[in-house]
Amino acid sequence: MPRPDVSQKRTAQILDAATIVFTRSGVYQSSMDDIAREVGLSKGSLYVYFESKDDIIEAIQERLLKVDLDTLQSFLIAPGSASQRLLLLTQYMAQELERMSPMLSITYELYAVALRSESVKKAYEDYFRVHREILVDLIHQGIKGGDFRDSDAQM
């Protein structure tokens, strides 16, 4: 009987462990040894999944941004008027800020990584572009539905 593929589950466990380690010690003060210890793997096993700490940083950043954009996208098709959905979106964003407050140091460090990593910089640029597009779409829905006065949604 073939062994089940656990790589996605293991990758998620590594990213969760790295997030804990980075929150506790800071991104640059943490080592692959620290992450391996937290997840309960040998350092060598960790390298099977990620070639470097930078790869882990990029994967955490990618996961955070994807989850956020997927959630934002859901507000475009959620039931209710555009103004109700915009209010719910605002409440969601406030709750996320509260939930993420222990991880703010990681967020700031990820922004700093964007200064030296073109792939991280591009991921943030894409994230903010899509984030804005989602908000503009929601405002357009509100204009079309009569919730908002006719105006420039980009503004």
Side-chain angles (χ1 to χ4, degrees):
M1 184 144 136
R3 263 178 83 180
D5 182 10
V6 296
S7 60
Q8 284 185 328
K9 183 178 177 183
R10 179 64 75 195
T11 298
Q13 290 169 341
I14 292 167
L15 296 179
D16 291 343
T19 300
I20 291 167
V21 169
F22 293 164
T23 299
R24 183 175 52 230
S25 304
V27 173
Y28 292 103
Q29 294 75 23
S30 302
S31 68
M32 292 293 270
D33 286 321
D34 298 329
I35 297 166
R37 214 175 2 265
E38 183 71 33
V39 76
L41 292 173
S42 70
K43 187 175 174 181
S45 295
L46 195 60
Y47 282 106
V48 168
Y49 297 93
F50 295 97
E51 290 181 19
S52 67
K53 187 169 80 169
D54 282 346
D55 287 346
I56 292 174
I57 292 167
E58 287 183 27
I60 289 172
Q61 175 246 359
E62 182 179 300
R63 181 170 72 165
L64 288 172
L65 298 183
K66 181 183 179 340
V67 166
D68 193 49
L69 288 179
D70 289 348
T71 302
L72 288 175
Q73 190 73 37
S74 73
F75 283 94
L76 287 176
I77 59 172
S81 68
S83 60
Q84 290 169 330
R85 290 180 283 140
L86 193 56
L87 179 60
L88 289 172
L89 173 59
T90 304
Q91 291 169 344
Y92 160 77
M93 291 171 79
Q95 290 170 347
E96 277 300 287
L97 283 172
E98 180 71 26
R99 186 183 71 79
M100 296 290 288
S101 64
M103 294 174 38
L104 278 180
S105 62
I106 293 174
T107 303
Y108 294 135
E109 288 190 75
L110 289 174
Y111 283 137
V113 169
L115 296 174
R116 66 178 173 81
S117 169
E118 279 303 312
S119 64
V120 173
K121 180 180 177 183
K122 179 161 179 10
Y124 274 114
E125 288 170 350
D126 292 345
Y127 166 78
F128 286 117
R129 179 185 46 74
V130 172
H131 192 280
R132 183 178 180 95
E133 288 170 1
I134 291 169
L135 292 176
V136 167
D137 285 349
L138 186 54
I139 292 168
H140 277 296
Q141 288 178 8
I143 292 169
K144 195 183 214 180
D147 287 338
F148 309 132
R149 72 179 194 287
D150 193 8
S151 59
D152 182 357
Q154 290 286 340
M155 293 303 291

